[in-house]
Amino acid sequence: MAKNSSHSKKSLTVDQALLRMMNYCVYQDRCHQEVEKKLDALGMYEDAKNHIIIKLLEEDFLNEERFARSYARGKFRIKKYGRIRITRELKSRAISAYNLKAGLSEIDEDDYVNTLRDLAQHKLNTTKESNAYKKRQKIYQHLAYKGYETELIYDVINDLLPM
């Protein structure tokens, strides 16, 4: 069975691969890097890959600004990631500075600060540390890992745990 599936991957025509990539992009917004990896996995040659990517761009199946916006919205709303983490993740996908900025513009400042406060409060409530300094450190580390800015984290921690 494995032989047949790898054989069928190699024998895809450009049109079959294009159709498969259209479906791949319709299911969820994708970046160029993800599409290229998928085409490599399908065993497509460089010329065919370029042709397919151009077609996907022309027909708006592939749109990096849309990808950056939906990625930033989703990671903030669902995973509660901060701007630093979202920026790092988008840069690792080779998203341009323009599209990165567009993606981050999807995050409302009030929602951002409120989410940070909620995360800090939750971590405070679930941290079983009696030492105030260590408790502050644990909250800081958790929020920094999530990708929030140091100054904002300290502002929130100082509000929750005054010195």
Side-chain angles (χ1 to χ4, degrees):
M1 190 69 178
K3 246 183 189 172
N4 280 348
S5 68
S6 70
H7 177 70
S8 68
K9 282 182 182 176
K10 296 277 188 273
S11 64
L12 276 182
T13 66
V14 172
D15 287 341
Q16 289 170 324
L18 176 61
L19 191 60
R20 200 175 278 193
M21 296 314 296
M22 285 175 170
N23 289 329
Y24 180 65
C25 292
V26 163
Y27 175 72
Q28 174 184 319
D29 280 324
R30 309 285 180 181
C31 66
H32 284 68
Q33 196 179 70
E34 290 168 323
V35 170
E36 283 190 34
K37 281 183 184 169
K38 188 77 165 171
L39 288 168
D40 287 340
L42 293 174
M44 301 307 291
Y45 293 112
E46 205 59 37
D47 287 348
K49 273 177 27 183
N50 291 336
H51 171 77
I52 290 168
I53 288 171
I54 288 168
K55 274 291 200 204
L56 293 171
L57 287 166
E58 285 173 354
E59 299 185 27
D60 208 31
F61 283 94
L62 188 57
N63 179 322
E64 288 218 325
E65 181 177 344
R66 187 176 61 220
F67 168 80
R69 287 177 181 277
S70 68
Y71 184 91
R73 263 193 324 269
K75 292 300 178 192
F76 173 65
R77 288 196 184 128
I78 296 160
K79 297 224 182 235
K80 312 280 187 236
Y81 284 176
R83 287 188 282 250
I84 293 171
R85 177 117 183 231
I86 292 168
T87 299
R88 188 175 345 120
E89 297 279 338
L90 287 172
K91 280 183 177 176
S92 77
R93 288 165 173 78
I95 300 300
S96 72
Y98 172 84
N99 289 331
L100 192 108
K101 190 175 179 184
L104 293 176
S105 75
E106 291 290 306
I107 301 170
D108 178 75
E109 192 60 34
D110 292 339
D111 289 346
Y112 190 76
V113 174
N114 290 334
T115 300
L116 176 58
R117 285 185 207 288
D118 292 347
L119 285 169
Q121 185 65 56
H122 179 75
K123 189 66 179 170
L124 175 64
N125 296 342
T126 58
T127 301
K128 292 170 176 52
E129 180 61 62
S130 55
N131 179 313
Y133 176 76
K134 287 182 180 175
K135 185 178 280 197
R136 291 171 70 90
Q137 274 305 108
K138 284 187 176 193
I139 295 168
Y140 173 83
Q141 286 170 341
H142 175 69
L143 298 173
Y145 172 77
K146 284 281 197 180
Y148 288 88
E149 296 85 341
T150 301
E151 314 78 52
L152 287 176
I153 295 172
Y154 282 128
D155 288 347
V156 168
I157 290 174
N158 289 334
D159 285 348
L160 286 176
L161 294 166
M163 288 300 247

